Amino acid sequence: MKTMKIWRIMLMTLAAFSLASCSSDDDEETVSGSDTQRALFEMKNNYSGELRYGLKDEAGRQTLKGYTARSAEGLTISLPLEPIAEQVKDAAIAQRIRTQGYAEVFANYQFEAVEKGGDARFVLQPQMVAGERMATPLTRTQPVTYSGLTLLFTGTYTGNFVKENEALVFNICVGQVLIDNEPLEGFQPVLYTFQGNAQYNTEEREETQVEKEHRQPAQQL
């Protein structure tokens, strides 16, 4: 019951803040470099839980159980591409996207608040991992050429970490996609919501290649 209460509080907080773009610089709280490093250390883990996804402006969304997100210097997660493929009118290109199945996304944390007890509130700055771009041309007798899919993200979305039960919850929104470097006409934003709990201590684990490429010196926010 206590865990459920914490989840409800976290999701209510997300609902209040994450469906809008970030505040202006004048309204942002200042989090020190040491607090940022402490938060990254506290959150460093693999998280298993559920991922809900679907069109941002519609109530009905699909749910995937046993989904994993990884937190270290930033956040790494794979996003299902089915709700994007459904919006592609060209059947061959849509099938190509369905075949890929997912896109790996890396997001930097920008902390808005870090509590002494370990709780943290943050916004995410996601980007599609370059290696996941489908770059093989797809040509048919029709003058249609497919040279890749790129996800573009809407603003910055909030997340929360609760130290007491090592719970992580956040939203990521795909606001537009590029196919063959051209925006997909009539695309409806797709919202992904993850909530999960830490699985084991990853303090001494080896860094992934994604984390190495995105590691940056600590900066005072």
Side-chain angles (χ1 to χ4, degrees):
M1 292 297 292
K2 188 174 183 180
T3 300
M4 291 298 294
K5 182 177 180 181
I6 292 174
W7 276 125
R8 284 197 296 270
I9 293 173
M10 292 174 71
L11 289 173
M12 287 174 65
T13 302
L14 272 179
F17 292 101
S18 63
L19 295 183
S21 297
C22 61
S23 303
S24 65
D25 293 340
D26 292 338
D27 296 331
E28 291 179 356
E29 299 180 32
T30 300
V31 177
S32 69
S34 60
D35 281 344
T36 293
Q37 290 301 312
R38 178 164 58 87
L40 290 173
F41 176 79
E42 293 286 356
M43 294 168 60
K44 188 176 183 180
N45 220 315
N46 286 350
Y47 295 82
S48 181
E50 67 176 33
L51 181 72
R52 292 188 294 116
Y53 64 94
L55 299 185
K56 182 176 75 70
D57 296 325
E58 294 185 2
R61 290 197 284 165
Q62 298 187 54
T63 300
L64 292 177
K65 303 283 188 180
Y67 220 74
T68 300
R70 189 172 195 173
S71 179
E73 285 76 11
L75 176 73
T76 304
I77 190 170
S78 295
L79 301 181
L81 293 174
E82 178 60 28
I84 293 172
E86 289 179 352
Q87 301 187 56
V88 178
K89 295 179 180 179
D90 186 280
I93 295 177
Q95 183 56 42
R96 184 65 164 275
I97 295 173
R98 288 189 175 94
T99 299
Q100 183 183 358
Y102 68 92
E104 188 173 9
V105 171
F106 180 87
N108 285 311
Y109 292 113
Q110 180 178 326
F111 290 97
E112 293 188 326
V114 177
E115 306 297 337
K116 291 183 179 180
D119 294 358
R121 186 176 76 250
F122 54 85
V123 294
L124 293 173
Q125 300 169 327
Q127 58 184 324
M128 188 175 177
V129 176
E132 290 297 319
R133 186 182 174 92
M134 295 183 289
T136 304
L138 172 65
T139 58
R140 301 186 288 119
T141 54
Q142 300 288 335
V144 175
T145 302
Y146 171 78
S147 64
L149 170 74
T150 302
L151 306 184
L152 303 179
F153 300 92
T154 301
T156 48
Y157 277 68
T158 65
N160 290 281
F161 172 72
V162 176
K163 175 62 177 176
E164 181 179 358
N165 61 342
E166 294 189 273
L168 184 69
V169 58
F170 59 83
N171 281 332
I172 291 177
C173 182
V174 177
Q176 179 58 276
V177 300
L178 303 182
I179 295 178
D180 195 18
N181 296 317
E182 293 293 332
L184 181 61
E185 185 177 352
F187 180 77
Q188 298 182 63
V190 177
L191 182 65
Y192 299 84
T193 300
F194 175 85
Q195 61 180 48
N197 297 87
Q199 294 304 290
Y200 52 84
N201 190 338
T202 60
E203 179 181 351
E204 297 181 357
R205 68 167 173 76
E206 186 175 344
E207 284 184 311
T208 66
Q209 185 62 35
V210 170
E211 292 163 356
K212 290 178 182 178
E213 292 175 354
H214 290 82
R215 191 193 317 116
Q216 298 177 352
Q219 297 180 350
Q220 186 162 333
L221 301 179

